[in-house]
Amino acid sequence: MVAYLLTKLTEWIEQADKDRREEYVAMAKDLAEIERRMVHLETTS
């Protein structure tokens, strides 16, 4: 039971992080900013 809860919690945290990253990129004003944000996410992870 504990393993199941930890698995679900991990999935939830990973999905929340993915959603946060997608929102950050989506707020970009133009293609150059999208690229800068994507590089920033890749280098800081």
mmCIF file of all heavy atoms in Angstrom:
data_model
loop_
_atom_site.group_PDB
_atom_site.id
_atom_site.type_symbol
_atom_site.label_atom_id
_atom_site.label_comp_id
_atom_site.label_asym_id
_atom_site.label_seq_id
_atom_site.Cartn_x
_atom_site.Cartn_y
_atom_site.Cartn_z
ATOM 1 N N MET A 1 0.823 -1.198 0.000
ATOM 2 C CA MET A 1 0.000 0.000 0.000
ATOM 3 C C MET A 1 0.868 1.264 0.000
ATOM 4 O O MET A 1 0.580 2.202 -0.708
ATOM 5 C CB MET A 1 -0.933 -0.049 1.218
ATOM 6 C CG MET A 1 -1.842 1.127 1.330
ATOM 7 S SD MET A 1 -3.000 1.120 -0.042
ATOM 8 C CE MET A 1 -4.077 2.394 0.425
ATOM 9 N N VAL A 2 1.911 1.255 0.814
ATOM 10 C CA VAL A 2 2.798 2.418 0.876
ATOM 11 C C VAL A 2 3.501 2.612 -0.469
ATOM 12 O O VAL A 2 3.629 3.739 -0.952
ATOM 13 C CB VAL A 2 3.819 2.273 2.026
ATOM 14 C CG1 VAL A 2 4.847 3.384 1.974
ATOM 15 C CG2 VAL A 2 3.108 2.259 3.367
ATOM 16 N N ALA A 3 3.926 1.513 -1.073
ATOM 17 C CA ALA A 3 4.596 1.605 -2.372
ATOM 18 C C ALA A 3 3.658 2.202 -3.411
ATOM 19 O O ALA A 3 4.073 3.026 -4.237
ATOM 20 C CB ALA A 3 5.082 0.232 -2.811
ATOM 21 N N TYR A 4 2.408 1.793 -3.394
ATOM 22 C CA TYR A 4 1.415 2.332 -4.330
ATOM 23 C C TYR A 4 1.249 3.842 -4.128
ATOM 24 O O TYR A 4 1.237 4.604 -5.095
ATOM 25 C CB TYR A 4 0.073 1.619 -4.133
ATOM 26 C CG TYR A 4 -1.044 2.236 -4.933
ATOM 27 C CD1 TYR A 4 -1.160 1.980 -6.297
ATOM 28 C CD2 TYR A 4 -1.976 3.084 -4.339
ATOM 29 C CE1 TYR A 4 -2.177 2.553 -7.046
ATOM 30 C CE2 TYR A 4 -2.991 3.658 -5.076
ATOM 31 C CZ TYR A 4 -3.095 3.388 -6.430
ATOM 32 O OH TYR A 4 -4.106 3.961 -7.171
ATOM 33 N N LEU A 5 1.133 4.266 -2.866
ATOM 34 C CA LEU A 5 0.970 5.692 -2.577
ATOM 35 C C LEU A 5 2.191 6.494 -3.004
ATOM 36 O O LEU A 5 2.060 7.591 -3.560
ATOM 37 C CB LEU A 5 0.692 5.897 -1.089
ATOM 38 C CG LEU A 5 -0.660 5.401 -0.592
ATOM 39 C CD1 LEU A 5 -0.739 5.542 0.921
ATOM 40 C CD2 LEU A 5 -1.795 6.134 -1.261
ATOM 41 N N LEU A 6 3.369 5.945 -2.769
ATOM 42 C CA LEU A 6 4.588 6.632 -3.199
ATOM 43 C C LEU A 6 4.663 6.733 -4.718
ATOM 44 O O LEU A 6 5.089 7.765 -5.261
ATOM 45 C CB LEU A 6 5.822 5.915 -2.652
ATOM 46 C CG LEU A 6 6.065 6.073 -1.157
ATOM 47 C CD1 LEU A 6 7.243 5.209 -0.720
ATOM 48 C CD2 LEU A 6 6.294 7.526 -0.791
ATOM 49 N N THR A 7 4.250 5.681 -5.393
ATOM 50 C CA THR A 7 4.231 5.704 -6.856
ATOM 51 C C THR A 7 3.273 6.777 -7.364
ATOM 52 O O THR A 7 3.616 7.563 -8.255
ATOM 53 C CB THR A 7 3.817 4.327 -7.412
ATOM 54 O OG1 THR A 7 4.755 3.356 -6.959
ATOM 55 C CG2 THR A 7 3.780 4.333 -8.928
ATOM 56 N N LYS A 8 2.079 6.823 -6.795
ATOM 57 C CA LYS A 8 1.092 7.829 -7.216
ATOM 58 C C LYS A 8 1.568 9.239 -6.896
ATOM 59 O O LYS A 8 1.385 10.158 -7.693
ATOM 60 C CB LYS A 8 -0.262 7.559 -6.551
ATOM 61 C CG LYS A 8 -0.970 6.368 -7.124
ATOM 62 C CD LYS A 8 -1.224 6.607 -8.595
ATOM 63 C CE LYS A 8 -1.906 5.449 -9.264
ATOM 64 N NZ LYS A 8 -2.096 5.656 -10.688
ATOM 65 N N LEU A 9 2.182 9.418 -5.735
ATOM 66 C CA LEU A 9 2.702 10.732 -5.359
ATOM 67 C C LEU A 9 3.794 11.170 -6.316
ATOM 68 O O LEU A 9 3.823 12.321 -6.758
ATOM 69 C CB LEU A 9 3.223 10.699 -3.920
ATOM 70 C CG LEU A 9 3.806 12.004 -3.392
ATOM 71 C CD1 LEU A 9 2.749 13.105 -3.393
ATOM 72 C CD2 LEU A 9 4.367 11.805 -1.996
ATOM 73 N N THR A 10 4.670 10.252 -6.668
ATOM 74 C CA THR A 10 5.739 10.553 -7.623
ATOM 75 C C THR A 10 5.161 10.943 -8.978
ATOM 76 O O THR A 10 5.593 11.926 -9.590
ATOM 77 C CB THR A 10 6.679 9.341 -7.769
ATOM 78 O OG1 THR A 10 7.240 9.034 -6.501
ATOM 79 C CG2 THR A 10 7.790 9.628 -8.769
ATOM 80 N N GLU A 11 4.168 10.209 -9.442
ATOM 81 C CA GLU A 11 3.523 10.533 -10.716
ATOM 82 C C GLU A 11 2.888 11.914 -10.658
ATOM 83 O O GLU A 11 2.983 12.698 -11.612
ATOM 84 C CB GLU A 11 2.470 9.484 -11.061
ATOM 85 C CG GLU A 11 3.039 8.143 -11.432
ATOM 86 C CD GLU A 11 1.966 7.074 -11.593
ATOM 87 O OE1 GLU A 11 0.758 7.379 -11.472
ATOM 88 O OE2 GLU A 11 2.342 5.914 -11.851
ATOM 89 N N TRP A 12 2.237 12.222 -9.550
ATOM 90 C CA TRP A 12 1.569 13.516 -9.399
ATOM 91 C C TRP A 12 2.590 14.652 -9.422
ATOM 92 O O TRP A 12 2.392 15.668 -10.093
ATOM 93 C CB TRP A 12 0.773 13.532 -8.095
ATOM 94 C CG TRP A 12 0.068 14.824 -7.857
ATOM 95 C CD1 TRP A 12 -1.080 15.261 -8.448
ATOM 96 C CD2 TRP A 12 0.488 15.872 -6.983
ATOM 97 N NE1 TRP A 12 -1.391 16.511 -7.986
ATOM 98 C CE2 TRP A 12 -0.446 16.911 -7.081
ATOM 99 C CE3 TRP A 12 1.575 16.016 -6.124
ATOM 100 C CZ2 TRP A 12 -0.329 18.079 -6.356
ATOM 101 C CZ3 TRP A 12 1.686 17.193 -5.402
ATOM 102 C CH2 TRP A 12 0.738 18.208 -5.522
ATOM 103 N N ILE A 13 3.703 14.477 -8.720
ATOM 104 C CA ILE A 13 4.743 15.506 -8.682
ATOM 105 C C ILE A 13 5.362 15.697 -10.065
ATOM 106 O O ILE A 13 5.578 16.837 -10.506
ATOM 107 C CB ILE A 13 5.817 15.150 -7.634
ATOM 108 C CG1 ILE A 13 5.220 15.286 -6.235
ATOM 109 C CG2 ILE A 13 7.056 16.023 -7.784
ATOM 110 C CD1 ILE A 13 6.109 14.749 -5.132
ATOM 111 N N GLU A 14 5.629 14.600 -10.763
ATOM 112 C CA GLU A 14 6.203 14.699 -12.106
ATOM 113 C C GLU A 14 5.250 15.407 -13.065
ATOM 114 O O GLU A 14 5.675 16.231 -13.878
ATOM 115 C CB GLU A 14 6.565 13.319 -12.625
ATOM 116 C CG GLU A 14 7.768 12.714 -11.929
ATOM 117 C CD GLU A 14 8.039 11.273 -12.331
ATOM 118 O OE1 GLU A 14 7.211 10.666 -13.041
ATOM 119 O OE2 GLU A 14 9.089 10.751 -11.918
ATOM 120 N N GLN A 15 3.962 15.108 -12.978
ATOM 121 C CA GLN A 15 2.976 15.759 -13.849
ATOM 122 C C GLN A 15 2.875 17.246 -13.531
ATOM 123 O O GLN A 15 2.797 18.083 -14.430
ATOM 124 C CB GLN A 15 1.601 15.096 -13.710
ATOM 125 C CG GLN A 15 0.566 15.648 -14.669
ATOM 126 C CD GLN A 15 0.926 15.431 -16.126
ATOM 127 O OE1 GLN A 15 1.356 14.358 -16.514
ATOM 128 N NE2 GLN A 15 0.744 16.446 -16.940
ATOM 129 N N ALA A 16 2.897 17.599 -12.255
ATOM 130 C CA ALA A 16 2.841 19.007 -11.853
ATOM 131 C C ALA A 16 4.058 19.759 -12.380
ATOM 132 O O ALA A 16 3.943 20.899 -12.857
ATOM 133 C CB ALA A 16 2.742 19.116 -10.336
ATOM 134 N N ASP A 17 5.238 19.133 -12.314
ATOM 135 C CA ASP A 17 6.453 19.764 -12.825
ATOM 136 C C ASP A 17 6.369 19.945 -14.336
ATOM 137 O O ASP A 17 6.728 20.998 -14.871
ATOM 138 C CB ASP A 17 7.672 18.926 -12.450
ATOM 139 C CG ASP A 17 8.967 19.599 -12.838
ATOM 140 O OD1 ASP A 17 9.176 20.763 -12.438
ATOM 141 O OD2 ASP A 17 9.780 18.963 -13.535
ATOM 142 N N LYS A 18 5.878 18.927 -15.034
ATOM 143 C CA LYS A 18 5.724 19.017 -16.492
ATOM 144 C C LYS A 18 4.753 20.146 -16.862
ATOM 145 O O LYS A 18 5.027 20.939 -17.764
ATOM 146 C CB LYS A 18 5.212 17.687 -17.041
ATOM 147 C CG LYS A 18 5.024 17.683 -18.531
ATOM 148 C CD LYS A 18 4.474 16.345 -19.018
ATOM 149 C CE LYS A 18 4.208 16.431 -20.503
ATOM 150 N NZ LYS A 18 3.028 15.718 -20.894
ATOM 151 N N ASP A 19 3.641 20.231 -16.139
ATOM 152 C CA ASP A 19 2.659 21.284 -16.407
ATOM 153 C C ASP A 19 3.258 22.666 -16.165
ATOM 154 O O ASP A 19 3.034 23.603 -16.941
ATOM 155 C CB ASP A 19 1.428 21.099 -15.521
ATOM 156 C CG ASP A 19 0.616 19.876 -15.881
ATOM 157 O OD1 ASP A 19 0.825 19.303 -16.971
ATOM 158 O OD2 ASP A 19 -0.233 19.474 -15.048
ATOM 159 N N ARG A 20 4.048 22.798 -15.081
ATOM 160 C CA ARG A 20 4.681 24.079 -14.767
ATOM 161 C C ARG A 20 5.647 24.489 -15.874
ATOM 162 O O ARG A 20 5.681 25.642 -16.321
ATOM 163 C CB ARG A 20 5.418 23.969 -13.435
ATOM 164 C CG ARG A 20 6.107 25.250 -13.005
ATOM 165 C CD ARG A 20 6.973 25.037 -11.782
ATOM 166 N NE ARG A 20 7.983 24.002 -11.960
ATOM 167 C CZ ARG A 20 9.153 24.191 -12.573
ATOM 168 N NH1 ARG A 20 9.443 25.360 -13.093
ATOM 169 N NH2 ARG A 20 10.025 23.202 -12.682
ATOM 170 N N ARG A 21 6.440 23.526 -16.369
ATOM 171 C CA ARG A 21 7.397 23.810 -17.439
ATOM 172 C C ARG A 21 6.679 24.210 -18.734
ATOM 173 O O ARG A 21 7.088 25.156 -19.413
ATOM 174 C CB ARG A 21 8.282 22.600 -17.689
ATOM 175 C CG ARG A 21 9.234 22.312 -16.565
ATOM 176 C CD ARG A 21 9.906 20.950 -16.739
ATOM 177 N NE ARG A 21 10.933 20.737 -15.764
ATOM 178 C CZ ARG A 21 12.206 21.074 -15.950
ATOM 179 N NH1 ARG A 21 12.603 21.597 -17.079
ATOM 180 N NH2 ARG A 21 13.089 20.871 -15.011
ATOM 181 N N GLU A 22 5.622 23.492 -19.069
ATOM 182 C CA GLU A 22 4.871 23.814 -20.292
ATOM 183 C C GLU A 22 4.246 25.199 -20.203
ATOM 184 O O GLU A 22 4.244 25.953 -21.179
ATOM 185 C CB GLU A 22 3.806 22.759 -20.541
ATOM 186 C CG GLU A 22 4.371 21.437 -21.006
ATOM 187 C CD GLU A 22 3.314 20.374 -21.213
ATOM 188 O OE1 GLU A 22 2.113 20.634 -20.955
ATOM 189 O OE2 GLU A 22 3.692 19.260 -21.640
ATOM 190 N N GLU A 23 3.749 25.551 -19.028
ATOM 191 C CA GLU A 23 3.152 26.880 -18.855
ATOM 192 C C GLU A 23 4.220 27.968 -18.997
ATOM 193 O O GLU A 23 3.978 29.011 -19.606
ATOM 194 C CB GLU A 23 2.488 26.967 -17.491
ATOM 195 C CG GLU A 23 1.769 28.275 -17.266
ATOM 196 C CD GLU A 23 1.034 28.317 -15.942
ATOM 197 O OE1 GLU A 23 0.766 27.253 -15.362
ATOM 198 O OE2 GLU A 23 0.733 29.433 -15.502
ATOM 199 N N TYR A 24 5.404 27.718 -18.441
ATOM 200 C CA TYR A 24 6.517 28.671 -18.542
ATOM 201 C C TYR A 24 6.879 28.924 -20.003
ATOM 202 O O TYR A 24 7.041 30.068 -20.421
ATOM 203 C CB TYR A 24 7.709 28.113 -17.761
ATOM 204 C CG TYR A 24 8.994 28.888 -17.903
ATOM 205 C CD1 TYR A 24 9.135 30.151 -17.366
ATOM 206 C CD2 TYR A 24 10.094 28.328 -18.555
ATOM 207 C CE1 TYR A 24 10.329 30.850 -17.488
ATOM 208 C CE2 TYR A 24 11.287 29.011 -18.677
ATOM 209 C CZ TYR A 24 11.396 30.277 -18.139
ATOM 210 O OH TYR A 24 12.575 30.964 -18.260
ATOM 211 N N VAL A 25 6.981 27.871 -20.784
ATOM 212 C CA VAL A 25 7.316 28.021 -22.207
ATOM 213 C C VAL A 25 6.163 28.685 -22.952
ATOM 214 O O VAL A 25 6.379 29.546 -23.807
ATOM 215 C CB VAL A 25 7.679 26.657 -22.830
ATOM 216 C CG1 VAL A 25 7.850 26.776 -24.335
ATOM 217 C CG2 VAL A 25 8.951 26.102 -22.198
ATOM 218 N N ALA A 26 4.939 28.335 -22.622
ATOM 219 C CA ALA A 26 3.779 28.886 -23.323
ATOM 220 C C ALA A 26 3.615 30.385 -23.100
ATOM 221 O O ALA A 26 3.002 31.068 -23.928
ATOM 222 C CB ALA A 26 2.513 28.162 -22.873
ATOM 223 N N MET A 27 4.173 30.920 -22.031
ATOM 224 C CA MET A 27 4.054 32.358 -21.759
ATOM 225 C C MET A 27 5.010 33.196 -22.604
ATOM 226 O O MET A 27 4.939 34.421 -22.572
ATOM 227 C CB MET A 27 4.301 32.631 -20.273
ATOM 228 C CG MET A 27 3.213 32.104 -19.378
ATOM 229 S SD MET A 27 3.407 32.338 -17.592
ATOM 230 C CE MET A 27 4.985 33.061 -17.370
ATOM 231 N N ALA A 28 5.866 32.557 -23.373
ATOM 232 C CA ALA A 28 6.825 33.286 -24.209
ATOM 233 C C ALA A 28 6.097 34.114 -25.266
ATOM 234 O O ALA A 28 5.036 33.733 -25.745
ATOM 235 C CB ALA A 28 7.786 32.311 -24.870
ATOM 236 N N LYS A 29 6.703 35.220 -25.602
ATOM 237 C CA LYS A 29 6.084 36.160 -26.549
ATOM 238 C C LYS A 29 6.398 35.851 -28.012
ATOM 239 O O LYS A 29 5.654 36.214 -28.899
ATOM 240 C CB LYS A 29 6.539 37.582 -26.246
ATOM 241 C CG LYS A 29 6.270 38.028 -24.846
ATOM 242 C CD LYS A 29 4.841 38.432 -24.655
ATOM 243 C CE LYS A 29 4.621 39.067 -23.310
ATOM 244 N NZ LYS A 29 3.911 38.268 -22.375
ATOM 245 N N ASP A 30 7.548 35.207 -28.262
ATOM 246 C CA ASP A 30 7.926 34.920 -29.640
ATOM 247 C C ASP A 30 8.779 33.650 -29.686
ATOM 248 O O ASP A 30 9.108 33.069 -28.649
ATOM 249 C CB ASP A 30 8.665 36.098 -30.275
ATOM 250 C CG ASP A 30 9.898 36.535 -29.492
ATOM 251 O OD1 ASP A 30 10.501 35.695 -28.796
ATOM 252 O OD2 ASP A 30 10.259 37.713 -29.591
ATOM 253 N N LEU A 31 9.122 33.229 -30.876
ATOM 254 C CA LEU A 31 9.856 31.982 -31.057
ATOM 255 C C LEU A 31 11.227 32.025 -30.392
ATOM 256 O O LEU A 31 11.653 31.041 -29.769
ATOM 257 C CB LEU A 31 10.001 31.678 -32.554
ATOM 258 C CG LEU A 31 10.678 30.363 -32.904
ATOM 259 C CD1 LEU A 31 9.943 29.190 -32.270
ATOM 260 C CD2 LEU A 31 10.760 30.195 -34.409
ATOM 261 N N ALA A 32 11.903 33.154 -30.477
ATOM 262 C CA ALA A 32 13.231 33.264 -29.856
ATOM 263 C C ALA A 32 13.138 33.080 -28.342
ATOM 264 O O ALA A 32 13.978 32.405 -27.734
ATOM 265 C CB ALA A 32 13.856 34.609 -30.191
ATOM 266 N N GLU A 33 12.121 33.651 -27.743
ATOM 267 C CA GLU A 33 11.950 33.505 -26.296
ATOM 268 C C GLU A 33 11.581 32.070 -25.936
ATOM 269 O O GLU A 33 12.022 31.549 -24.908
ATOM 270 C CB GLU A 33 10.900 34.476 -25.777
ATOM 271 C CG GLU A 33 10.821 34.484 -24.266
ATOM 272 C CD GLU A 33 9.869 35.527 -23.717
ATOM 273 O OE1 GLU A 33 9.310 36.330 -24.495
ATOM 274 O OE2 GLU A 33 9.673 35.519 -22.504
ATOM 275 N N ILE A 34 10.790 31.422 -26.771
ATOM 276 C CA ILE A 34 10.466 30.005 -26.545
ATOM 277 C C ILE A 34 11.753 29.188 -26.526
ATOM 278 O O ILE A 34 11.973 28.372 -25.633
ATOM 279 C CB ILE A 34 9.507 29.474 -27.623
ATOM 280 C CG1 ILE A 34 8.122 30.076 -27.444
ATOM 281 C CG2 ILE A 34 9.434 27.944 -27.580
ATOM 282 C CD1 ILE A 34 7.161 29.755 -28.574
ATOM 283 N N GLU A 35 12.613 29.440 -27.507
ATOM 284 C CA GLU A 35 13.870 28.701 -27.576
ATOM 285 C C GLU A 35 14.744 28.981 -26.364
ATOM 286 O O GLU A 35 15.339 28.066 -25.800
ATOM 287 C CB GLU A 35 14.609 29.045 -28.864
ATOM 288 C CG GLU A 35 13.912 28.503 -30.096
ATOM 289 C CD GLU A 35 14.562 28.933 -31.400
ATOM 290 O OE1 GLU A 35 15.474 29.798 -31.362
ATOM 291 O OE2 GLU A 35 14.163 28.403 -32.441
ATOM 292 N N ARG A 36 14.828 30.246 -25.920
ATOM 293 C CA ARG A 36 15.619 30.596 -24.744
ATOM 294 C C ARG A 36 15.082 29.885 -23.503
ATOM 295 O O ARG A 36 15.847 29.349 -22.700
ATOM 296 C CB ARG A 36 15.599 32.107 -24.503
ATOM 297 C CG ARG A 36 16.582 32.878 -25.345
ATOM 298 C CD ARG A 36 16.744 34.305 -24.866
ATOM 299 N NE ARG A 36 15.498 35.069 -24.873
ATOM 300 C CZ ARG A 36 15.002 35.699 -25.933
ATOM 301 N NH1 ARG A 36 15.645 35.666 -27.080
ATOM 302 N NH2 ARG A 36 13.871 36.368 -25.850
ATOM 303 N N ARG A 37 13.769 29.870 -23.370
ATOM 304 C CA ARG A 37 13.161 29.222 -22.204
ATOM 305 C C ARG A 37 13.385 27.714 -22.224
ATOM 306 O O ARG A 37 13.636 27.113 -21.183
ATOM 307 C CB ARG A 37 11.675 29.545 -22.132
ATOM 308 C CG ARG A 37 11.419 30.985 -21.739
ATOM 309 C CD ARG A 37 9.951 31.323 -21.723
ATOM 310 N NE ARG A 37 9.760 32.717 -21.419
ATOM 311 C CZ ARG A 37 8.858 33.163 -20.530
ATOM 312 N NH1 ARG A 37 8.065 32.328 -19.922
ATOM 313 N NH2 ARG A 37 8.759 34.446 -20.286
ATOM 314 N N MET A 38 13.309 27.112 -23.395
ATOM 315 C CA MET A 38 13.533 25.673 -23.496
ATOM 316 C C MET A 38 14.987 25.332 -23.152
ATOM 317 O O MET A 38 15.249 24.363 -22.433
ATOM 318 C CB MET A 38 13.157 25.173 -24.885
ATOM 319 C CG MET A 38 11.652 25.215 -25.118
ATOM 320 S SD MET A 38 11.154 24.722 -26.765
ATOM 321 C CE MET A 38 11.528 22.990 -26.731
ATOM 322 N N VAL A 39 15.919 26.132 -23.643
ATOM 323 C CA VAL A 39 17.335 25.906 -23.310
ATOM 324 C C VAL A 39 17.542 26.086 -21.811
ATOM 325 O O VAL A 39 18.234 25.301 -21.167
ATOM 326 C CB VAL A 39 18.247 26.846 -24.132
ATOM 327 C CG1 VAL A 39 19.665 26.836 -23.593
ATOM 328 C CG2 VAL A 39 18.204 26.456 -25.593
ATOM 329 N N HIS A 40 16.935 27.115 -21.251
ATOM 330 C CA HIS A 40 17.051 27.358 -19.821
ATOM 331 C C HIS A 40 16.543 26.148 -19.017
ATOM 332 O O HIS A 40 17.207 25.711 -18.067
ATOM 333 C CB HIS A 40 16.257 28.613 -19.437
ATOM 334 C CG HIS A 40 16.145 28.834 -17.972
ATOM 335 N ND1 HIS A 40 17.210 29.222 -17.206
ATOM 336 C CD2 HIS A 40 15.106 28.702 -17.135
ATOM 337 C CE1 HIS A 40 16.810 29.327 -15.954
ATOM 338 N NE2 HIS A 40 15.536 29.021 -15.892
ATOM 339 N N LEU A 41 15.401 25.606 -19.404
ATOM 340 C CA LEU A 41 14.858 24.440 -18.700
ATOM 341 C C LEU A 41 15.769 23.228 -18.840
ATOM 342 O O LEU A 41 15.943 22.454 -17.886
ATOM 343 C CB LEU A 41 13.458 24.116 -19.206
ATOM 344 C CG LEU A 41 12.363 25.101 -18.810
ATOM 345 C CD1 LEU A 41 11.062 24.762 -19.529
ATOM 346 C CD2 LEU A 41 12.168 25.131 -17.314
ATOM 347 N N GLU A 42 16.357 23.061 -20.025
ATOM 348 C CA GLU A 42 17.245 21.911 -20.242
ATOM 349 C C GLU A 42 18.516 22.023 -19.419
ATOM 350 O O GLU A 42 19.023 21.016 -18.930
ATOM 351 C CB GLU A 42 17.596 21.791 -21.725
ATOM 352 C CG GLU A 42 16.450 21.338 -22.581
ATOM 353 C CD GLU A 42 16.769 21.368 -24.070
ATOM 354 O OE1 GLU A 42 17.902 21.752 -24.428
ATOM 355 O OE2 GLU A 42 15.888 21.030 -24.857
ATOM 356 N N THR A 43 19.031 23.232 -19.268
ATOM 357 C CA THR A 43 20.308 23.405 -18.566
ATOM 358 C C THR A 43 20.146 23.464 -17.057
ATOM 359 O O THR A 43 21.103 23.242 -16.327
ATOM 360 C CB THR A 43 21.041 24.662 -19.043
ATOM 361 O OG1 THR A 43 20.218 25.807 -18.836
ATOM 362 C CG2 THR A 43 21.419 24.552 -20.505
ATOM 363 N N THR A 44 18.962 23.767 -16.570
ATOM 364 C CA THR A 44 18.755 23.874 -15.120
ATOM 365 C C THR A 44 18.149 22.615 -14.523
ATOM 366 O O THR A 44 17.944 22.545 -13.328
ATOM 367 C CB THR A 44 17.862 25.073 -14.772
ATOM 368 O OG1 THR A 44 16.604 24.940 -15.409
ATOM 369 C CG2 THR A 44 18.537 26.371 -15.150
ATOM 370 N N SER A 45 17.866 21.616 -15.330
ATOM 371 C CA SER A 45 17.261 20.397 -14.780
ATOM 372 C C SER A 45 18.298 19.377 -14.447
ATOM 373 O O SER A 45 19.291 19.233 -15.010
ATOM 374 C CB SER A 45 16.315 19.730 -15.745
ATOM 375 O OG SER A 45 15.657 20.549 -16.587
#
